Amino acid sequence: MPRSQGWQDSVRLSDWLVGMGHSYNTSFPLDGETLPGIDDFQALVILDGPQPLSGAESAQSQPLRLQRKLIRRALNSNRPVLGIGLGARLIAEQLGAIVSPAVVPQRRWATLTRSDECPVGLPAEFETLLWHEEICGLPEDCELLASGEHTPIAGFSWDAGRVLALNFHPHLDAGATRDRLRHHPAPNEGRGVQSEDTLLEDPKRFDRQAALLDRLLVDWLDA
């Protein structure tokens, strides 16, 4: 799948990294690009993708096999690791949790509630963009970050916050969301799905979740 279809675009992550004086490189395994070696980076971010993990075909996917291998090596290092969407579920899988189809697939703005054990600077309640058709369990020895309706594990941390997994999308802006919708139109509205007009109607929603992303990234790298 071409990177232009938006699944693995870093969007506001890139802006934050540049603004904080960090350099970064990207690799798009869905496009056949080579992943970095463990000694080629100081922190690893694994972004979203369209591949399901709960189906038998995921075991045959070469891009997924390569990502799983790199994640295992990064988890066993002292490097910070951040996963968003598919990236979060890959981390959960490598830490022993089950990934399964969501009873109510999500493509909507939703309010999440911070958990009591959350070790990073999330508000008690916050609105963010959900976009997933799979959920995961909470891996052993992990701390729940937040939860919401139909998304009991919206995020978790491991190893004192060195590893963060987010099954929500604070890095997306309106342009990236519109690009996703162009290639993956929203299905009929339902319990967990909002129309394109509703998803894009209030630009301030994207600004608010950008501020949320800033807080998460600072705490993540400080850990």
Side-chain angles (χ1 to χ4, degrees), residues 44-180:
L44 176 66
V45 178
I46 314 101
L47 293 173
D48 204 10
Q51 315 101 305
L53 299 184
S54 53
E57 66 275 8
S58 79
Q60 307 303 318
S61 168
Q62 179 69 358
L64 287 178
R65 283 203 297 267
L66 293 173
Q67 289 177 84
R68 286 174 171 125
K69 180 179 178 181
L70 181 59
I71 290 168
R72 283 195 298 272
R73 297 191 69 186
L75 292 175
N76 290 328
S77 73
N78 62 353
R79 293 164 176 77
V81 180
L82 169 66
I84 297 178
L86 175 67
R89 299 188 294 276
L90 281 166
I91 292 171
E93 180 189 72
Q94 296 309 304
L95 291 174
I98 294 174
V99 176
S100 58
V103 175
V104 181
Q106 301 290 294
R107 194 184 290 198
R108 65 183 178 114
W109 290 99
T111 298
L112 302 181
T113 301
R114 185 190 67 211
S115 74
D116 291 339
E117 66 263 31
C118 176
V120 293
L122 289 173
E125 290 190 336
F126 57 96
E127 185 181 55
T128 189
L129 184 60
L130 302 183
W131 190 310
H132 60 262
E133 297 182 0
E134 292 183 314
I135 57 173
C136 64
L138 183 65
E140 187 175 354
D141 298 324
C142 289
E143 297 162 309
L144 178 66
L145 299 183
S147 59
E149 184 183 20
H150 308 305
T151 308
I153 312 297
F156 62 85
S157 69
W158 182 70
D159 195 20
R162 174 176 70 89
V163 177
L164 289 184
L166 311 177
N167 207 16
F168 57 96
H169 298 270
H171 68 302
L172 291 181
D173 59 14
T177 303
R178 187 179 294 107
D179 188 53
R180 276 197 182 196

